[in-house]
Amino acid sequence: GAGVSQSPRYKVAKRGQDVALRCDPISGHVSLFWYQQALGQGPEFLTYFQNEAQLDKSGLPSDRFFAERPEGSVSTLKIQRTQQEDSAVYLCASSVNGETQYFGPGTRLLVL
Amino acid sequence: QKEVEQNSGPLSVPEGAIASLNCTYSDRGSQSFFWYRQYSGKSPELIMFIYSNGDKEDGRFTAQLNKASQYVSLLIRDSQPSDSATYLCAVNIGAAGNKLTFGGGTRVLVKP
């Protein structure tokens, strides 16, 4: 079946603008993860959902970051009042068992 | 000390040779270990996972785990130019939920 999809693939935002990034996991995958990857570094964990429950949000860097998965499928990561340091690739991953995670193509965010 | 450490490389390997990648982790409670391949500008792609001490082979790839030494490695046999990529080691610490903690990645360059 289809893999994890993310949209938009690229987003340019002006500093202070709000952005919303969407993730559509693999069908039937109950676990969904968001990661942030800065250039030249490994992905860093942001938050984790099991169905609609957000079980871990310890990686969200500030209260400007908010994620939701209201129906246990599609998830949205929202960043309010974007800053230049938010520029990164935002990766979504899903898993059927919470262990083996499959990544989407990512959203490349550039904040000017 | 970072939780998951990898040599950033680049690791230069002649075509047809064995590429050996190493990863160390700091948390003795770590339960599962993953290797991802990431081509430039693309998202991580799962290659291997390993849970138990010893070797696990899949095609040209072999993962090796030594929990006593807190060490996991990846061998790529008969390296091909298409193997040129960054290889990310990821660890599921378990006690902290299902999030993956990544190393910074090792860049591999296979020269024809």
Side-chain angles (χ1 to χ4, degrees), chain A residues 31 33 35 37 40-45 48 50 56 58 91 97-106 108, chain B residues 2 31-32 34 36 38 41-46 49 51 88 92 96-105:
Chain A
S31 299
F33 304 79
Y35 293 85
Q37 187 173 25
Q41 298 183 23
E44 297 266 352
F45 171 80
Y48 158 55
Q50 186 167 308
D56 187 346
S58 62
L91 295 164
N97 58 7
E99 279 277 2
T100 309
Q101 297 180 27
Y102 298 92
F103 283 84
R108 191 174 298 271
Chain B
K2 292 187 69 177
Q31 298 180 354
S32 47
F34 302 83
Y36 286 84
Q38 187 172 31
K42 302 295 185 182
S43 63
E45 173 193 7
L46 181 67
F49 57 88
Y51 302 142
L88 296 163
N92 182 337
N98 288 317
K99 67 181 182 183
L100 293 179
T101 301
F102 284 84

Side-chain angles (χ1 to χ4, degrees), chain A residues 17-59:
Chain A
Q17 187 179 351
D18 297 350
V19 298
L21 313 180
R22 175 189 167 107
C23 173
D24 204 332
I26 295 171
S27 178
H29 281 198
V30 300
S31 299
L32 186 146
F33 304 79
W34 285 97
Y35 293 85
Q36 179 191 60
Q37 187 173 25
L39 192 64
Q41 298 183 23
E44 297 266 352
F45 171 80
L46 294 176
T47 187
Y48 158 55
F49 291 87
Q50 186 167 308
N51 295 305
E52 69 278 4
Q54 189 175 20
L55 299 185
D56 187 346
K57 54 181 182 179
S58 62

Side-chain angles (χ1 to χ4, degrees), chain A residues 33 35 42-45 56 98-101 103, chain B residues 2-6 22-36 46 48-51 64-67 69-73 87-105:
Chain A
F33 304 79
Y35 293 85
E44 297 266 352
F45 171 80
D56 187 346
E99 279 277 2
T100 309
Q101 297 180 27
F103 283 84
Chain B
K2 292 187 69 177
E3 292 177 285
V4 180
E5 298 219 37
Q6 297 180 254
N22 304 317
C23 173
T24 58
Y25 58 95
S26 60
D27 194 316
R28 286 197 171 275
S30 300
Q31 298 180 354
S32 47
F33 307 84
F34 302 83
W35 283 99
Y36 286 84
L46 181 67
M48 298 275 296
F49 57 88
I50 187 167
Y51 302 142
Q64 299 174 318
L65 175 61
N66 184 326
K67 289 187 177 180
S69 300
Q70 296 174 245
Y71 174 97
V72 58
S73 64
Y87 290 80
L88 296 163
C89 172
V91 175
N92 182 337
I93 295 175
N98 288 317
K99 67 181 182 183
L100 293 179
T101 301
F102 284 84

Side-chain angles (χ1 to χ4, degrees), chain A residues 60-110:
Chain A
L60 296 176
S62 78
D63 59 7
R64 296 186 296 105
F65 287 70
F66 171 76
E68 60 183 4
R69 194 186 185 198
E71 298 178 359
S73 179
V74 170
S75 177
T76 303
L77 176 67
K78 298 180 179 178
I79 309 174
Q80 298 177 322
R81 304 182 303 282
T82 53
Q83 304 294 312
Q84 285 187 321
E85 61 263 29
D86 300 335
S87 296
V89 176
Y90 290 85
L91 295 164
C92 176
S94 72
S95 172
V96 67
N97 58 7
E99 279 277 2
T100 309
Q101 297 180 27
Y102 298 92
F103 283 84
T107 294
R108 191 174 298 271
L109 173 65
L110 177 62

